[in-house]
Amino acid sequence: MSSELSPIDKAKFVAAKQATQYVEDGMKVGLGTGSTAAWLVKCLGEMVENDGLKIRGVPTSSRTAELARDVGIEVISLDEAKWLDLTIDGADEFDGNLNLIKGGGGALLQEKIVATASDQMVVIADAAKSVETLGAFPLPIEVIPFGWQTTKMLVEETLIGMDVLGRTVSLRMNGDAPYYTDEGNHILDLHLNRIGHARQLSLVINQIPGVVENGLFIDICDVVVIGHGDGRVEVRDINEGTVEESRFDIIEKDNLFADLSD
């Protein structure tokens, strides 16, 4: 298999590599879900193998748990950890205030629980995920299967009073069958195009019976690490109010990264 990485994969890799600098020996670390987070897990696994890094990881999905074990990271549950030093995860969108849309990978509930049980949340993303206003990416909400069509109707009615441009709601599918999360729930994707008041929408959506959680992460992310295809990395820290830039020389490795894809 060729080791040549696409620009988007290079961007994800350098963001993940930069984010490993936040990880210290002995930490309990939340491990996100999705293609960008998979790069992080691989990078941390390399540090465990080559540098003797000792961490305990709390995965946000069964997929991430399997990958973490495969690369030698000790995996524990959130109940065992109780509280985390750090969570590193990807995002489907982020705005200038580091508010996020997450859940494209179907793990938003565990991701939000883990992120809010951490001293710090670091998001890794390629530059295409940066937006002025959230909403171009469909907003996922996790709903219980019982009465999901009624829940969908209530969501559609609620959106009429919200500051959004679109109101189409679709059930996420896995082939010909509904998609199921790790908790056995469904996901409704809200095609809103633009979200005028994300905080208000998050609060209102979560009041609808049948809704478990939504994919808006408001005031949770502390730092976003943005990768570019040419190796540049931008780090935005919302608490410090700083923006720093650096660059990685990318050395591509067949054995470590060729098996990762979107």
Side-chain angles (χ1 to χ4, degrees):
M1 181 179 293
S2 172
S3 63
E4 182 65 28
L5 297 177
S6 68
I8 191 70
D9 280 338
K10 289 179 182 178
K12 293 176 180 181
F13 168 63
V14 296
K17 194 71 173 175
Q18 178 72 30
T20 62
Q21 298 183 17
Y22 290 89
V23 180
E24 300 176 5
D25 210 50
M27 276 188 167
K28 293 177 287 187
V29 181
L31 303 174
T33 295
S35 59
T36 310
W39 289 96
L40 170 81
V41 175
K42 284 281 192 175
C43 288
L44 290 176
E46 186 182 41
M47 294 168 67
V48 168
E49 180 180 358
N50 297 337
D51 305 326
L53 177 70
K54 290 180 171 57
I55 60 171
R56 288 178 289 172
V58 175
T60 55
S61 69
S62 56
R63 301 192 305 279
T64 298
E66 181 179 1
L67 177 59
R69 292 189 182 98
D70 286 345
V71 299
I73 297 173
E74 180 184 354
V75 171
I76 61 174
S77 69
L78 184 57
D79 286 335
E80 291 175 286
K82 295 183 173 61
W83 194 260
L84 305 178
D85 299 288
L86 172 70
T87 287
I88 306 178
D89 203 348
D92 299 303
E93 283 186 347
F94 65 89
D95 66 14
N97 294 317
L98 304 196
N99 295 317
L100 320 170
I101 286 182
K102 289 180 54 55
L108 67 96
L109 178 58
Q110 289 190 26
E111 288 173 336
K112 188 174 282 191
I113 291 171
V114 168
T116 54
S118 306
D119 287 336
Q120 186 178 36
M121 183 190 190
V122 175
V123 161
I124 50 178
D126 59 88
K129 304 297 171 48
S130 177
V131 297
E132 288 190 14
T133 304
L134 298 176
F137 190 91
L139 173 65
I141 61 173
E142 187 159 337
V143 302
I144 66 170
F146 176 80
W148 72 264
Q149 295 189 57
T150 300
T151 304
K152 177 176 178 288
M153 180 183 67
L154 291 171
V155 170
E156 291 167 340
E157 290 179 355
T158 299
L159 290 176
I160 294 173
M162 296 289 100
D163 184 7
V164 295
L165 286 183
R167 300 188 182 93
T168 302
V169 180
S170 60
L171 176 68
R172 187 175 297 184
M173 303 295 289
N174 182 16
D176 295 330
Y179 176 87
Y180 282 91
T181 68
D182 280 355
E183 290 75 34
N185 295 320
H186 292 325
I187 286 184
L188 297 178
D189 288 309
L190 280 53
H191 304 266
L192 307 177
N193 300 323
R194 184 187 65 84
I195 300 172
H197 300 285
R199 187 187 307 275
Q200 180 190 36
L201 179 63
S202 178
L203 291 172
V204 171
I205 288 292
N206 276 13
Q207 295 302 310
I208 298 173
V211 173
V212 181
E213 189 53 84
N214 71 82
L216 286 167
F217 283 51
I218 310 296
D219 297 334
I220 297 176
C221 176
D222 298 286
V223 176
V224 63
V225 181
I226 308 164
H228 297 263
D230 60 0
R232 288 181 298 118
V233 181
E234 179 183 340
V235 179
R236 301 180 191 174
D237 188 316
I238 195 70
N239 299 313
E240 300 295 332
T242 57
V243 179
E244 299 179 355
E245 291 191 5
S246 58
R247 180 184 293 273
F248 277 95
D249 292 326
I250 301 172
I251 302 175
E252 297 167 3
K253 303 179 181 180
D254 271 326
N255 61 333
L256 190 60
F257 302 117
D259 58 338
L260 288 178
S261 59
D262 289 337

